[in-house]
Amino acid sequence: MKLIDGKQIAAEIKAEIAKEVAKMIDDEDENPHLAAVLVGEDPASQTYVASKEKACQSVGMLSSVYRYPAATTEKELLDVVSFLNMDPEVDGFIVQLPLPKHIDENKIIEAIDPKKDVDGFHPANVGRMVLNLPAYVSATPFGIMQLLERSNVETQGKNVVVVGRSNIVGTPVSILLSRKAKTANATVTLCHSRTKNLKEICANADILIAAIGVAEFIKGDMVKKGAVVIDVGMHRVKSDKTKSGFKLIGDVDFEEVSKKASQITPVPGGVGPMTIVALIQNTLKAAKKEIYG
Ligand code: NAP
């Protein structure tokens, strides 16, 4: 079994981005700039935004965070989005989800200028991705695709099973892998909570992608010997073996599944670091006007 080292691959991509950023600054005096909008005090969201800021800084990009209280109204947030859409200093921005319940997330996402939508959540970017047109692809699926590509995992003609059909992970990754493209061309089965015979379907996968949100859901008997397993799940659970008293685990029972898989992503250090780096890559694309010209 070989570990797919997301941390290492993300570091390689970051080094490549840092070179491009330095060149942009030298040649054009242009420094890519990512802004993040954070509403409320959700600790997980604060951590995600902090790691996005840190990643930007590590490659020499500018980053800024716009913080607002949980009581911010939908209208006020729409005004912030409108301001960032117009700000020529900002190449791309994200509105960190989830938003407080009184704000309609779809309304906010649809208000973002698709040209600056580096999270790739706007319907224009999702539609372009489905049509195989240049688009900002949302960070986790984009990160998974690069993880497979850079680990030389053959996808053409393979049976891929994706468990989980969320708009941000399962559905887009299933579309990306079934597209007519050199690093795709897979036969994809998309599973969810109503899928029958899930165990049998998973056990037929050459590549199994778990994006379920249930800790250690995928067990050894659900995996074919030699399969490639990508674990998207992230769960913080108590542990008496770590200093912090917590550890991160995934949607895959690593102990059991690593005995059968040919390649597998660990948690932490698999998909997580790739998600952050993919956002930074989208920001660079925005600064270079690669998608929309
Ligand atoms: P989500 O929106 O909760 O979607 C979960 C999906 O799993 C749904 O489609 C659901 O089916 C399906 N599901 C749930 N229970 C199931 C079962 N017993 N059998 C089969 N399918 C089942 O989750 P998400 O946002 O995609 O996230 C999935 C996991 O990835 C979470 O652990 C999340 O924390 C993690 N995540 C990690 C990253 C990263 O960067 N590493 C990024 C995003 C998410 P239905 O549609 O029928 O309800």
Side-chain angles (χ1 to χ4, degrees):
M1 182 277 296
K2 189 177 149 228
L3 270 189
I4 298 181
D5 188 344
K7 211 170 156 188
Q8 170 65 28
I9 296 171
E12 286 164 19
I13 297 175
K14 268 204 219 167
E16 293 163 16
I17 298 173
K19 271 193 197 157
E20 286 203 53
V21 171
K23 192 169 177 325
M24 274 186 88
I25 296 171
D26 274 358
D27 294 354
E28 299 154 46
D29 204 19
E30 252 272 0
N31 193 339
H33 182 179
L34 172 71
V37 181
L38 183 56
V39 184
E41 308 287 323
D42 177 49
S45 293
Q46 295 196 13
T47 308
Y48 293 143
V49 168
S51 40
K52 289 165 189 174
E53 259 196 297
K54 206 170 131 203
C56 278
Q57 284 154 10
S58 74
V59 297
M61 283 185 186
L62 294 175
S63 69
S64 44
V65 183
Y66 291 73
R67 293 171 205 277
Y68 297 94
T72 303
T73 65
E74 188 175 278
K75 166 80 176 62
E76 285 165 338
L77 190 54
L78 285 168
D79 287 345
V80 174
V81 168
S82 171
F83 169 78
L84 290 171
N85 282 341
M86 306 291 284
D87 186 349
E89 300 297 317
V90 169
D91 294 297
F93 68 97
I94 62 157
V95 178
Q96 184 65 45
L97 303 179
L99 291 169
K101 297 237 174 318
H102 63 277
I103 299 177
D104 181 345
E105 285 185 355
N106 286 330
K107 221 170 170 177
I108 302 299
I109 290 169
E110 285 182 40
I112 297 173
D113 182 346
K115 295 188 180 80
K116 291 193 175 188
D117 168 43
V118 286
D119 251 344
F121 292 160
H122 190 285
N125 280 311
V126 178
R128 290 173 69 98
M129 184 265 296
V130 172
L131 296 171
N132 214 351
L133 294 169
Y136 296 115
V137 174
S138 62
T140 305
F142 184 25
I144 294 169
M145 294 302 289
Q146 295 188 84
L147 211 49
L148 292 171
E149 202 179 328
R150 291 193 181 230
S151 307
N152 297 316
V153 174
E154 178 62 80
T155 55
Q156 298 222 34
K158 299 292 178 186
N159 279 331
V160 173
V161 174
V162 180
V163 191
R165 58 177 163 185
S166 72
N167 287 343
I168 60 162
V169 188
T171 294
V173 87
S174 72
I175 293 167
L176 290 168
L177 278 161
S178 56
R179 289 198 308 193
K180 196 168 188 170
K182 199 172 119 257
T183 51
N185 278 329
T187 305
V188 182
T189 308
L190 181 58
C191 302
H192 44 78
S193 66
R194 310 290 170 92
T195 299
K196 291 192 175 130
N197 305 326
L198 184 66
K199 191 165 150 182
E200 288 74 14
I201 295 170
C202 289
N204 194 33
D206 301 311
I207 301 169
L208 178 63
I209 301 178
I212 308 150
V214 181
E216 299 183 332
F217 181 88
I218 302 289
K219 300 290 180 193
D221 62 358
M222 297 170 83
V223 177
K224 180 164 86 175
K225 195 155 175 42
V228 174
V229 179
I230 305 292
D231 188 354
V232 186
M234 221 161 45
H235 310 271
R236 194 168 176 262
V237 295
K238 284 196 175 144
S239 167
D240 49 20
K241 292 196 182 113
T242 62
K243 228 164 121 187
S244 65
F246 291 95
K247 66 172 181 173
L248 276 184
I249 59 170
D251 285 351
V252 173
D253 185 329
F254 187 87
E255 180 71 25
E256 286 188 12
V257 173
S258 59
K259 292 188 180 113
K260 294 186 84 177
S262 60
Q263 297 193 64
I264 184 167
T265 56
V267 177
V271 174
M274 293 301 293
T275 295
I276 304 257
V277 98
L279 175 68
I280 305 298
Q281 283 176 293
N282 279 345
T283 306
L284 183 62
K285 285 182 186 174
K288 290 167 89 178
K289 306 203 171 6
E290 263 182 25
I291 308 288
Y292 287 94

